[in-house]
Amino acid sequence: MAQAKEPLPVPSPSLQSTGKAIIVGASSGIGAALARRLAAEGYSLALLARRADRLAALCEEINAKAGEIRAISYVHDVTDYEAVPGLLQKITATLGGLDLFIYSAGILFPSGMSHFEFEKDRRMTEVNYLGALAWLNPVAAMFHRLKTGQIVGISSVAGERGRVGNPAYNASKAALTCYLESLRNRLTRRGVHVLTVKPGYVLTEMTSGMKNLYFAISAERAAADICKAIHRRKQVIYTAPIWWLVMFVVRNIPSIIFRRLSF
Ligand SMILES: NC(=O)c1ccc[n+]([C@@H]2O[C@H](COP(=O)([O-])OP(=O)(O)OC[C@H]3O[C@@H](n4cnc5c(N)ncnc54)[C@H](OP(=O)(O)O)[C@@H]3O)[C@@H](O)[C@H]2O)c1
């Protein structure tokens, strides 16, 4: 397991190497599915999250399948903001550059209609939004300087409207969506591509035990949609695509009706 302060294994130089990518929030769910898919496409990967065992198992699986070192893990908590610039520098040196950066880290604490708790809201804001800013600022600066690169942010349909269910989760995703749009508008003129991903329900640890998961898809299906969008340099995608239509309707429900709805 590669920790920030230990000597790092160097990925095998692969003739097939498609590019070099960082995935933050890669130990499970959508991030892990993206890691498997990008590794199969030939990417060299740095995989980050807090759970060392899960990251180690994923790297082992990917490297065994590839027959060479294609994924390296870094144990990291995204709320350790000060560690980010140094870690980014160390990872890019190890990978030999960076082509693609994906921020998939996120948490959701279930919240009842009469539940109000600052501590949980702060945690969600820190992981879903502030952690993203901590990473996206130095990554954007690097890509801006290099005039190339791709950034992917996993936001959510939850950020499209202030639904009653989970105000702070919704707000953290709305903030991330808006930030990614601003970043895109800044960086497009430098040749840097920014993709905002808005998943609906995806069957991952985040949604396990939840009921009424309409139009739910697997993490593998979400990863396939995201990879296709990366290759096509799309700006915003919904996965599954049906959520584009659902959210078009939801966005246009007048507030006088919307505030009486219970979703
Ligand atoms: N599942 C859905 O229905 C759905 C819908 C819309 C949007 N999303 C978004 O999709 C993204 C991925 O979620 P998922 O569904 O794949 O859930 P997941 O399986 O729970 O994955 C969440 C990932 O975030 C990482 N993470 C959480 N806190 C972290 C921290 N403090 N530092 C570093 N990494 C952290 C987790 O790793 P560790 O716990 O090992 O740190 C894990 O790798 C999230 O941003 C989520 O909000 C999910």
Side-chain angles (χ1 to χ4, degrees):
M1 172 66 50
Q3 302 269 0
K5 289 188 179 114
E6 290 174 3
L8 302 166
V10 178
S12 319
S14 168
L15 293 174
Q16 305 284 315
S17 187
T18 312
K20 296 141 200 336
I22 294 175
I23 305 177
V24 179
S27 58
S28 61
I30 299 170
L34 279 167
R36 289 189 180 93
R37 205 173 173 95
L38 290 170
E41 290 184 12
Y43 273 86
S44 297
L45 300 170
L47 306 181
L48 283 68
R50 292 166 305 173
R51 286 171 294 176
D53 53 337
R54 297 288 288 267
L55 286 177
L58 180 59
C59 286
E60 215 173 289
E61 176 198 321
I62 286 172
N63 295 336
K65 202 165 178 181
E68 62 176 11
I69 296 178
R70 211 166 271 184
I72 306 172
S73 64
Y74 296 81
V75 177
H76 168 68
D77 186 325
V78 295
T79 62
D80 183 4
Y81 311 123
E82 287 76 24
V84 174
L87 193 49
L88 176 62
Q89 206 174 26
K90 194 172 285 198
I91 292 171
T92 49
T94 303
L95 291 178
L98 187 68
D99 303 291
L100 172 64
F101 176 84
I102 301 176
Y103 192 88
S104 188
I107 51 172
L108 182 156
F109 295 122
S111 145
M113 285 280 281
S114 55
H115 190 92
F116 302 91
E117 190 181 331
F118 172 68
E119 195 45 40
K120 284 183 176 175
D121 289 357
R122 184 176 66 82
R123 279 296 294 166
M124 287 191 283
T125 306
E126 286 186 342
V127 174
N128 300 354
Y129 183 53
L130 294 183
L133 295 192
W135 275 96
L136 290 171
N137 271 291
V139 169
M142 184 167 74
F143 287 162
H144 184 271
R145 198 175 56 248
L146 297 172
K147 295 189 183 169
T148 183
Q150 285 192 283
I151 290 172
V152 178
I154 313 295
S155 188
S156 174
V157 295
E160 302 243 314
R161 252 190 117 174
R163 291 182 293 138
V164 291
N166 201 326
Y169 181 78
N170 293 350
S172 70
K173 292 300 186 179
L176 180 59
T177 297
C178 184
Y179 179 78
L180 289 166
E181 184 181 9
S182 293
L183 214 53
R184 176 180 312 114
N185 295 341
R186 267 195 183 192
L187 294 175
T188 299
R189 62 199 78 184
R190 301 284 293 183
V192 179
H193 169 237
V194 179
L195 167 66
T196 306
V197 180
K198 298 181 180 179
Y201 292 118
V202 183
L203 300 170
T204 64
E205 289 173 26
M206 184 176 275
T207 51
S208 76
M210 285 187 190
K211 294 195 178 96
N212 302 325
L213 299 180
Y214 304 109
F215 310 119
I217 56 171
S218 67
E220 290 69 32
R221 165 72 200 283
D225 284 353
I226 294 165
C227 285
K228 203 194 299 175
I230 290 170
H231 298 319
R232 294 184 180 176
R233 297 179 81 82
K234 296 261 185 195
Q235 299 185 12
V236 180
I237 60 153
Y238 290 82
T239 174
I242 182 71
W243 286 96
W244 178 88
L245 186 61
V246 175
M247 297 321 294
F248 178 79
V249 174
V250 167
R251 276 197 310 274
N252 287 291
I253 298 173
S255 175
I256 194 164
I257 298 168
F258 196 68
R259 67 174 184 257
R260 289 175 170 78
L261 301 177
S262 57
F263 79 98

